[in-house]
């Protein structure tokens, strides 16, 4: 595999939720700037035409991420609203309470721990993973994919980036790349909504969020599974009962916007 199992701060159990949430907020801002929600909404709409579903169950939702904006755009183009259920293996009670008390139309956050490697335990609907699949080590990633196929569950995985840079070049450019991402974090923070005093404190006075965001952003590039990596993961169980589409995601203007993995039962 080309993918490297580097660490990311947000994956560490002891890592403070305040800093983790602050970093996730920056990722949401970045995705809005890049128009990611339009790309994902388009993929989901096309998926619904191929394999109809009545709800979406998002896995590894964290603080909600880009899916909240995706659902706004998705439901604006459908006569019948599609409910979204956010889930996580370790749901943050504060995030769950905030989202569930916000009365966001057709959106709820499941308070229970949901394991993405056991999709057969979930109700019917499209399962999604947005920019979280690269966090899974190969054995877990393989189990998630296999669980989708074994239980005939439709699964859509999206990653905003691609692991295409040569590994040696990534290491050589790392100091410059970290600096750029640190500065980007400082510039993007004013666009975080809602912008809390903690986000400001740990960005400008004690810059823990920009430092960790910079490392995680760079580490995630090398942790993203390549197309060949995905093919390697599914080769042992791939069969005619389930289709796998591994493809580049594109904006309406044809520009690349990451990639997706779409698994559908036949």
């Amino acid at each position: 595999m080309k993918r490297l199992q580097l660490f990311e701060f947000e994956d560490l159990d002891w890592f403070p939720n305040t800093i983790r949430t602050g970093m996730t907020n920056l990722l949401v801002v970045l995705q809005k700037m890049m128009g990611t929600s339009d790309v994902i909404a388009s993929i989901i709409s096309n998926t619904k035409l191929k394999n109809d579903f009545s709800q979406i169950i998002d896995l590894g939702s964290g603080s909600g991420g880009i899916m909240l904006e995706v659902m706004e755009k998705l439901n604006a183009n459908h006569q019948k609203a599609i409910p979204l259920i956010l889930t996580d293996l370790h749901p943050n009670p504060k995030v769950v309470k905030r989202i569930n008390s916000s009365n966001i139309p057709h959106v709820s956050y499941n308070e229970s721990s949901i394991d993405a490697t056991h999709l057969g335990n979930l109700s019917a609907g499209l399962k999604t993973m947005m920019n979280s699949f690269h966090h899974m080590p190969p054995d877990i990633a393989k189990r998630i994919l296999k669980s989708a196929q074994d239980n005939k569950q439709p699964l859509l995985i999206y990653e905003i980036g691609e692991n295409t840079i040569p590994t040696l070049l990534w290491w050589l450019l790392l100091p410059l790349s970290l600096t750029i991402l640190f500065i980007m974090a400082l510039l993007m923070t004013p666009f975080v909504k809602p912008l809390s005093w903690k986000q400001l404190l740990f960005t400008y006075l004690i810059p823990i969020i920009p430092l960790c965001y910079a490392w995680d952003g760079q580490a995630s590039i090398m942790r993203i599974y390549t197309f060949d990596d995905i093919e390697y993961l599914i080769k042992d169980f791939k069969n005619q009962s389930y289709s796998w589409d591994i493809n580049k995601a594109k904006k309406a203007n044809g520009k690349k916007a990451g990639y997706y993995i779409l698994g559908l039962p036949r």
Side-chain angles (χ1 to χ4, degrees):
M1 280 192 175
K2 182 180 184 300
R3 178 188 184 272
L4 298 180
Q5 184 60 31
L6 301 175
F7 85 93
E8 288 185 52
F9 284 107
E10 65 172 301
D11 289 341
L12 304 175
D13 292 337
W14 54 264
F15 196 63
N17 279 331
T18 296
I19 309 301
R20 181 183 288 109
T21 300
M23 293 163 60
T24 303
N25 290 340
L26 291 177
L27 182 58
V28 171
V29 172
L30 176 64
Q31 291 184 103
K32 287 183 177 180
M33 292 170 59
M34 296 180 65
T36 304
S37 59
D38 289 320
V39 175
I40 298 172
S42 176
I43 297 173
I44 292 177
S45 292
N46 291 334
T47 299
K48 188 171 174 59
L49 295 175
K50 299 175 184 177
N51 189 290
D52 196 18
F53 52 84
S54 59
Q55 66 178 354
I56 297 174
I57 301 176
D58 189 55
L59 308 166
S61 303
S63 61
I66 196 65
M67 281 302 290
L68 298 178
E69 184 176 345
V70 168
M71 295 309 297
E72 285 185 22
K73 299 187 175 184
L74 197 62
N75 284 329
N77 295 321
H78 286 81
Q79 289 185 336
K80 185 177 181 181
I82 304 171
L84 169 67
I85 302 175
L86 302 170
T87 73
D88 203 276
L89 183 62
H90 303 293
N92 183 331
K94 291 183 179 179
V95 172
V96 173
K97 182 178 180 180
R98 173 173 60 80
I99 291 180
N100 287 342
S101 62
S102 296
N103 296 318
I104 305 173
H106 315 293
V107 174
S108 62
Y109 207 127
N110 192 324
E111 299 178 359
S112 304
S113 174
I114 300 299
D115 188 344
T117 63
H118 295 91
L119 297 183
N121 297 333
L122 301 180
S123 55
L126 175 67
K127 311 304 183 293
T128 60
M129 294 187 73
M130 299 292 120
N131 298 302
S132 58
F133 193 66
H134 69 271
H135 291 280
M136 310 299 158
D139 59 326
I140 300 298
K142 184 174 183 176
R143 287 167 58 192
I144 291 172
L145 299 174
K146 188 175 187 300
S147 180
Q149 178 172 300
D150 289 348
N151 294 285
K152 300 187 181 303
Q153 297 277 4
L155 174 66
L156 172 63
I157 295 170
Y158 175 81
E159 291 284 359
I160 194 173
E162 288 188 70
N163 183 354
T164 57
I165 185 172
T167 304
L168 178 58
L169 183 59
W170 179 85
W171 282 109
L172 292 174
L173 294 177
L174 186 58
L176 175 61
S177 301
L178 291 173
T179 302
I180 292 173
L181 283 185
F182 181 90
I183 295 173
M184 283 180 60
L186 299 179
L187 297 176
M188 290 191 298
T189 296
F191 298 97
V192 170
K193 294 180 181 180
L195 183 57
S196 67
W197 67 267
K198 292 181 180 179
Q199 184 101 27
L200 293 171
L201 172 66
F202 292 112
T203 296
Y204 297 113
L205 295 182
I206 309 172
I208 300 175
I209 292 176
L211 286 170
C212 295
Y213 174 81
W215 169 258
D216 278 18
Q218 280 303 297
S220 65
I221 292 174
M222 300 309 294
R223 298 181 79 188
I224 293 175
Y225 290 93
T226 66
F227 286 21
D228 288 341
D229 291 342
I230 298 299
E231 291 289 357
Y232 178 79
L233 290 175
I234 65 176
K235 68 181 180 67
D236 291 337
F237 56 83
K238 186 177 181 181
N239 59 46
Q240 295 301 313
S241 69
Y242 198 88
S243 68
W244 290 103
D245 179 19
I246 309 164
N247 223 322
K248 294 182 183 295
K250 294 182 180 180
K251 298 182 180 181
N253 60 11
K255 290 186 178 180
K256 297 177 184 178
Y259 82 98
Y260 67 89
I261 306 164
L262 178 61
L264 296 175
R266 285 176 169 152

